[in-house]
Amino acid sequence: MAYYNENTVLWLDGSIIKAAEAKTDLYGQSLHYGYAVFEGIRSYRTAAGDTKIFKAVEHYDRLQRSAAAMNMPFDYSTTELIAATYDVLAKNKLQDAYIRPVVYAPANMSFNLNTESYTAIQAWEMAPFLGDKLLRVMTSSFQRPNPKGFKIEAKASGHYVNSILASQEAKGKGFDEALLTDMNGHVAEGPGANVFFEKNGKLFTPATGNILPGITRATVLEICHELDIPIEEGQYSTRDLLQADAAFFCGTAAEVIGWHSLDDKPFGKPFPDTLSRRIQLTYKDKVIEKQTELATI
Ligand code: PMP
């Protein structure tokens, strides 16, 4: 996939520069040690024809918290970064886009603190709502990083080595995606999405603590409350999931995407007949069609 061409621009610490001319330091601490934080954000073209970012404040606030959790200097306000993002979208003529802000470290082969960091905002086209295909999911042999070893609530680049290993393993075995457990063997999340499952008219999702608390997960919880769908946050085994009526992943890129099967075992109900499908359709209606969750700034 081509993320940029010779006309693409990105935002780097206050300047708009050509993506093809942007440079990074091969001696950087982020490249060598995975010491960086980032976000994944979506924008949508609205019914009125303009461009709006989904939950921009929540994403940039999380970026700031991630940087703080990693002891990285971070000099921007959420408002400034949102304005910069709209600028990147407009200059690249993007509407339905995926936005990737990243905060990274200077050249530093030691483990010492840095006095500065760099912030870049990149964006590329991404069509909305990829969610109609059902996923064949595999329980990964990899577990999520132990929260006693990492600040798992932060969206830190290094954590994604674990995601890459799990996703590559699943795809290598002919599945669409992986499901990872936490260090206690409880269901945790996908490599880049949170997980929900459904049983007897009730929804379940792993509690926070050992997962990235997703902004889409929070939106799905809001939808459950609005639709009066009972929801429980707790600790679940893969056996609970294997006995479920349905399951889905949710995340900024994935939006809400149903599962066909886990470890080749199909779920109890056809997906179109489930509350999970209703949640998927409500998410689509709210976010993409009615755009009620989109940023007002
Ligand atoms: N878990 C992981 C590991 C992720 O990478 C993501 C994507 N950011 C999510 C969950 C979902 O988070 P969000 O809904 O904020 O995109």
Side-chain angles (χ1 to χ4, degrees), residues 37 65-67 69-70 151-156 159-160 212-213:
V37 296
R65 289 197 304 276
S66 295
M70 295 294 139
K151 299 215 174 145
I152 198 72
E153 72 288 355
K155 200 164 165 62
H159 300 171
Y160 285 82
L212 184 82

Side-chain angles (χ1 to χ4, degrees), residues 154-171:
K155 200 164 165 62
S157 299
H159 300 171
Y160 285 82
V161 176
N162 169 257
S163 299
I164 289 171
L165 288 172
S167 202
Q168 288 179 350
E169 177 191 48
K171 286 165 189 158

Side-chain angles (χ1 to χ4, degrees), residues 38-41 54 59 62 98 144 155 160 163 189-195 211-218 250-253 283:
F38 69 100
E39 267 305 317
I41 313 177
F54 179 60
H59 279 284
R62 185 170 67 186
Y98 186 79
R144 288 296 286 160
K155 200 164 165 62
Y160 285 82
S163 299
E189 59 191 325
N194 291 115
V195 59
I211 59 168
L212 184 82
I215 289 160
T216 321
R217 177 184 179 278
C250 67
T252 298
Y283 186 90

Side-chain angles (χ1 to χ4, degrees), residues 135-147:
L135 298 180
R136 293 182 58 244
V137 178
M138 180 196 115
T139 307
S140 185
S141 70
F142 296 97
Q143 296 191 326
R144 288 296 286 160
N146 187 328

Side-chain angles (χ1 to χ4, degrees), residues 49-294:
D50 52 359
T51 309
K52 291 280 185 203
I53 301 170
F54 179 60
K55 299 221 169 180
V57 171
E58 287 82 347
H59 279 284
Y60 279 113
D61 283 354
R62 185 170 67 186
L63 185 67
Q64 195 158 13
R65 289 197 304 276
S66 295
M70 295 294 139
N71 314 314
M72 299 181 81
F74 189 82
D75 300 327
Y76 300 104
S77 70
T78 289
T79 317
E80 273 175 291
L81 293 175
I82 293 173
T85 305
Y86 277 113
D87 198 22
V88 169
L89 292 172
K91 291 208 161 68
N92 288 304
K93 298 188 175 58
L94 289 168
Q95 295 208 287
D96 289 314
Y98 186 79
I99 300 148
R100 171 53 61 82
V102 58
V103 182
Y104 59 101
N108 180 1
M109 294 297 167
S110 81
F111 300 152
N112 295 338
L113 277 177
N114 297 300
T115 52
E116 57 177 351
S117 58
Y118 311 111
T119 303
I121 303 174
Q122 292 143 286
W124 52 90
E125 196 171 337
M126 189 182 268
F129 215 66
L130 309 163
D132 278 337
K133 180 180 165 261
L134 295 178
L135 298 180
R136 293 182 58 244
V137 178
M138 180 196 115
T139 307
S140 185
S141 70
F142 296 97
Q143 296 191 326
R144 288 296 286 160
N146 187 328
K148 290 184 178 148
F150 292 90
K151 299 215 174 145
I152 198 72
E153 72 288 355
K155 200 164 165 62
S157 299
H159 300 171
Y160 285 82
V161 176
N162 169 257
S163 299
I164 289 171
L165 288 172
S167 202
Q168 288 179 350
E169 177 191 48
K171 286 165 189 158
K173 292 190 171 168
F175 291 87
D176 297 311
E177 196 48 283
L179 170 72
L180 292 94
T181 52
D182 65 19
M183 75 290 182
N184 299 317
H186 293 125
V187 172
E189 59 191 325
N194 291 115
V195 59
F196 283 74
F197 66 96
E198 170 179 344
K199 180 78 182 174
N200 297 335
K202 188 170 175 183
L203 266 283
F204 301 85
T205 195
T208 55
N210 300 336
I211 59 168
L212 184 82
I215 289 160
T216 321
R217 177 184 179 278
T219 309
V220 167
L221 292 175
E222 285 166 27
I223 290 174
C224 288
H225 293 134
E226 280 168 25
L227 298 182
D228 266 331
I229 295 173
I231 168 84
E232 184 185 293
E233 295 177 60
Q235 295 187 323
Y236 308 104
S237 66
T238 41
R239 194 181 333 165
D240 294 327
L241 243 170
L242 284 165
Q243 291 169 354
D245 295 331
F248 61 87
F249 276 136
C250 67
T252 298
E255 295 169 324
V256 175
I257 182 159
W259 292 13
H260 166 269
S261 53
L262 176 62
D263 300 332
D264 279 330
K265 184 182 175 298
F267 288 96
K269 282 189 176 176
F271 195 73
D273 302 345
T274 60
L275 291 172
S276 299
R277 172 67 174 161
R278 218 176 129 206
I279 290 166
Q280 185 187 49
L281 290 175
T282 307
Y283 186 90
K284 187 177 180 188
D285 183 59
K286 247 173 112 74
V287 178
I288 299 150
E289 274 143 36
K290 300 215 180 71
Q291 296 159 345
T292 46
E293 302 279 346
L294 301 192

Side-chain angles (χ1 to χ4, degrees), residues 14-29:
S15 305
I16 293 283
I17 59 170
K18 286 217 161 183
E21 289 164 14
K23 290 194 175 69
T24 186
D25 196 325
L26 287 175
Y27 294 75
Q29 206 183 24

